[in-house]
Amino acid sequence: MLILRVEPAVGEPFDHLVETESLVIGRASESDLVVADRFLSRKHARLFFRDEQLFVEDLGSRNGTLLNGRRVDGLQEVRAGDLIKVSGSTIRVQEEGRSTVETSQLESSALTGMTVVKQASEVLESEPSDTGEILGEDNLRTFAARLQLLNDVHSALSRSIELDELLELILERAFEHLKPEEGAIFLKDDGADYRLAARRPTGGGSDYLYSRTLVREVADKRLAAVVLDAQTDERFAEAQSIMASGVRSLVAAPLLDPQGCLGIIVLNSRVNVRQFSEADMDLLISLASVAALRIRNVALAEEAAERREMARELELARRIQVALLPDALPEIPGYEVHGGNIPSRGVSGDFYEIIGRNNDQEFLTLVADVSGKGMSASLLAAALEALVASPIEAGLEPEKIFQRASRLLYQRTPPERYAVAILVALEPDSGDLRFVNAGQVPGLLIRSSGEVEKLEATGMPIGLLPTGDYTAGSTRLEEGDLLVLYTDGINEAENESEEQYGIDRLGAACQGNSGLSLDELAAAIEEDLDRFAGGVPFADDRTTVLIRRTPR
């Protein structure tokens, strides 16, 4: 029988016994395992047995599901000891009756059997004067040598260095002074432990042998341990790789700094080569503490550099995006016109334009939304804008424009890159409209009477297939009628209950504010969106183009 150790984003940890073949995890009260986490989806993930093996799958959640730090895609096999992360909450899978006993044994601070365990923080906080009284004169000289070693390590690690080189240098110092056969550093990443650096003094295989239980306990409980003889310690009876390898003595310490535990460093050896002592453990605790400070500093420096680079890329992408958007919209006699774009991540995959042709006897309005976000989306938007520019200037009909653009975009981009768009051709004198909707959300034609018509899709997204057929729909914009073109960042905006804003609510907002100017109407739509979302961040870019035929 398995037990789930649940640490919710809000509230105290608790255990849940797995007694059914299938278990849904979520925020909704009807879920089998309800977790107090406001950013959890109502039905977030599912655990289930198949042929007596446990699996986990994500149920299309907003924030995804992680298994041991890796995103769950499809079905993933789950074993005892694995860590599942759902939004801000974690779930540890444990075997009933085993985990509590093992943890309490490992947390013992006394010499038990062949293992010594200590709280690393207690060793770091001990005063030298107290240590001198306990160790005596001979061992005090050893303590002084230890301080000299740590000073040397501080100096060695003080220069500017990248993380990989830093980890290798830490292991080098550990090997120099503690003489292990093998050593490794594991850094915590999103709740799971990963080996980032490992070393052996004399060749051998590439796989470092270690106990997962030891790694997790040292990191999670911030314990340090020295194992005098793993072959005679019952804690390692089921660590097959340890037992078969002949490894008998090992020492481990957490990488602690004032902000928490970054991971662990662990060294091992055969007893006939090297048996570690309690003094070795104390030395490794101190070495790990020095290393943790440097690792944290390097990580912060790398993060700062990444943020600066990302900011530069976003600024470049934003300049590209702004260059695509019109500086000013054309004046169409007898019509009001408004256009606006709000990116969700600094840059947008949306763009729009209104172009007059045939001596302004016709105006073409294009609203497009390319796949993806950020820099790649803005570049794809620029490519699409260039592809439609030539056929528009050549006077092609809307359906022919999209046919040509779709073929060229497919040839020049990866298969997963495409765009949805709507193109509307307006003859101002008559109000006649011809439109092509390439997989875009329906445009709305709101009549002066309050009736709402939808300009539905008339073809597939642009660039999705090698060739695409597009047909044109037609209607007429009468006096007082309003044309609303927009991208799905508006109708798919969600609130805390994961309810979408929706097309009908957008139409109602336009109907309810029909007396406003178009600039005021756009602001009213955005205010209504903000009220609906209730502080939930917008997940996608939002673009709106409004065209109203004014009464004479």
Side-chain angles (χ1 to χ4, degrees), residues 233-251:
D233 193 315
E234 62 182 15
R235 296 173 184 82
F236 297 93
E238 295 186 5
Q240 299 294 331
S241 59
I242 296 290
M243 303 300 287
S245 69
V247 168
R248 302 188 69 173
S249 186
L250 58 88
V251 59

Side-chain angles (χ1 to χ4, degrees), residues 102-309:
E102 290 177 357
T103 299
S104 62
Q105 287 178 336
L106 192 56
E107 286 182 338
S108 171
S109 61
L111 180 63
T112 57
M114 301 302 292
T115 299
V116 178
V117 178
K118 290 183 179 180
Q119 282 288 341
S121 57
E122 294 179 1
V123 176
L124 294 172
E125 292 170 1
S126 62
E127 293 293 331
S129 59
D130 296 337
T131 306
E133 293 174 3
I134 295 172
L135 295 179
E137 184 176 350
D138 291 338
N139 286 334
L140 188 57
R141 285 195 292 270
T142 301
F143 183 79
R146 168 183 159 188
L147 292 180
Q148 181 60 50
L149 164 64
L150 295 179
N151 183 64
D152 293 343
V153 171
H154 264 296
S155 299
L157 301 182
S158 61
R159 62 186 177 87
S160 178
I161 192 172
E162 293 186 357
L163 181 59
D164 289 344
E165 186 182 356
L166 173 61
L167 298 179
E168 291 295 336
L169 182 56
I170 293 168
L171 284 175
E172 178 183 321
R173 297 296 175 175
F175 269 70
E176 180 181 345
H177 295 281
L178 293 173
K179 306 291 191 294
E181 286 187 280
E182 296 181 327
I185 294 175
F186 300 78
L187 293 188
K188 297 182 69 174
D189 183 7
D190 207 4
D193 297 298
Y194 296 93
R195 188 188 80 205
L196 291 189
R199 187 173 185 221
R200 290 181 172 183
T202 54
S206 59
D207 291 335
Y208 178 78
L209 300 174
Y210 66 97
S211 164
R212 289 185 180 276
T213 300
L214 180 69
V215 171
R216 287 168 178 156
E217 291 296 315
V218 170
D220 293 346
K221 306 297 182 182
R222 305 185 182 186
L223 302 173
V226 57
V227 180
L228 306 181
D229 192 346
Q231 303 291 323
T232 60
D233 193 315
E234 62 182 15
R235 296 173 184 82
F236 297 93
E238 295 186 5
Q240 299 294 331
S241 59
I242 296 290
M243 303 300 287
S245 69
V247 168
R248 302 188 69 173
S249 186
L250 58 88
V251 59
L255 296 162
L256 291 179
D257 76 349
Q259 298 183 51
C261 180
L262 300 177
I264 83 165
I265 179 170
V266 57
L267 313 173
N268 66 42
S269 181
R270 293 167 179 81
V271 171
N272 62 337
V273 176
R274 176 77 163 91
Q275 185 177 50
F276 298 108
S277 66
E278 194 171 346
D280 293 329
M281 177 176 63
D282 292 348
L283 176 57
L284 189 63
I285 290 172
S286 298
L287 175 60
S289 177
V290 173
L293 291 172
R294 289 295 302 147
I295 291 172
R296 180 79 72 179
N297 288 340
V298 169
L300 291 175
E302 290 180 350
E303 289 176 6
E306 290 175 358
R307 285 195 296 270
R308 288 193 296 270
E309 180 63 25

Side-chain angles (χ1 to χ4, degrees), residues 183-466:
I185 294 175
F186 300 78
L187 293 188
K188 297 182 69 174
D189 183 7
D190 207 4
D193 297 298
Y194 296 93
R195 188 188 80 205
L196 291 189
R199 187 173 185 221
R200 290 181 172 183
T202 54
S206 59
D207 291 335
Y208 178 78
L209 300 174
Y210 66 97
S211 164
R212 289 185 180 276
T213 300
L214 180 69
V215 171
R216 287 168 178 156
E217 291 296 315
V218 170
D220 293 346
K221 306 297 182 182
R222 305 185 182 186
L223 302 173
V226 57
V227 180
L228 306 181
D229 192 346
Q231 303 291 323
T232 60
D233 193 315
E234 62 182 15
R235 296 173 184 82
F236 297 93
E238 295 186 5
Q240 299 294 331
S241 59
I242 296 290
M243 303 300 287
S245 69
V247 168
R248 302 188 69 173
S249 186
L250 58 88
V251 59
L255 296 162
L256 291 179
D257 76 349
Q259 298 183 51
C261 180
L262 300 177
I264 83 165
I265 179 170
V266 57
L267 313 173
N268 66 42
S269 181
R270 293 167 179 81
V271 171
N272 62 337
V273 176
R274 176 77 163 91
Q275 185 177 50
F276 298 108
S277 66
E278 194 171 346
D280 293 329
M281 177 176 63
D282 292 348
L283 176 57
L284 189 63
I285 290 172
S286 298
L287 175 60
S289 177
V290 173
L293 291 172
R294 289 295 302 147
I295 291 172
R296 180 79 72 179
N297 288 340
V298 169
L300 291 175
E302 290 180 350
E303 289 176 6
E306 290 175 358
R307 285 195 296 270
R308 288 193 296 270
E309 180 63 25
M310 184 177 296
R312 284 193 293 268
E313 290 185 359
L314 287 175
E315 177 58 28
L316 173 60
R318 186 57 183 162
R319 288 201 298 269
I320 294 172
Q321 174 64 26
V322 170
L324 296 180
L325 301 176
D327 294 330
L329 296 177
E331 293 185 4
I332 306 177
Y335 292 82
E336 290 181 77
V337 179
H338 169 87
N341 166 265
I342 302 176
S344 64
R345 299 186 181 181
V347 293
S348 171
D350 294 356
F351 76 95
Y352 69 93
E353 58 184 353
I354 302 177
I355 301 172
R357 66 181 188 179
N358 299 331
N359 295 321
D360 290 345
Q361 295 180 28
E362 183 183 43
F363 285 86
L364 268 62
T365 301
L366 175 67
V367 175
D369 181 1
V370 304
S371 59
K373 300 286 188 299
M375 172 72 86
S376 63
S378 65
L379 293 175
L380 185 59
L384 179 60
E385 192 273 340
L387 292 177
V388 300
S390 177
I392 286 177
E393 291 179 1
L396 269 63
E397 295 297 324
E399 58 269 34
K400 299 296 184 182
I401 294 172
F402 274 6
Q403 285 175 5
R404 178 182 292 187
S406 182
R407 175 172 51 83
L408 294 175
L409 190 67
Y410 180 86
Q411 293 173 353
R412 301 179 183 186
T413 58
E416 67 274 10
R417 294 300 187 186
Y418 60 90
V420 294
I422 186 168
L423 181 61
V424 175
L426 167 66
E427 295 181 3
D429 292 341
S430 64
D432 288 343
L433 283 178
R434 296 184 75 249
F435 68 91
V436 179
N437 186 334
Q440 179 67 285
V441 289
L444 300 182
L445 182 54
I446 301 175
R447 300 294 185 182
S448 58
S449 62
E451 181 184 357
V452 177
E453 298 178 13
K454 294 181 179 179
L455 310 186
E456 301 282 3
T458 62
M460 68 183 66
I462 298 172
L464 189 62
L465 295 176

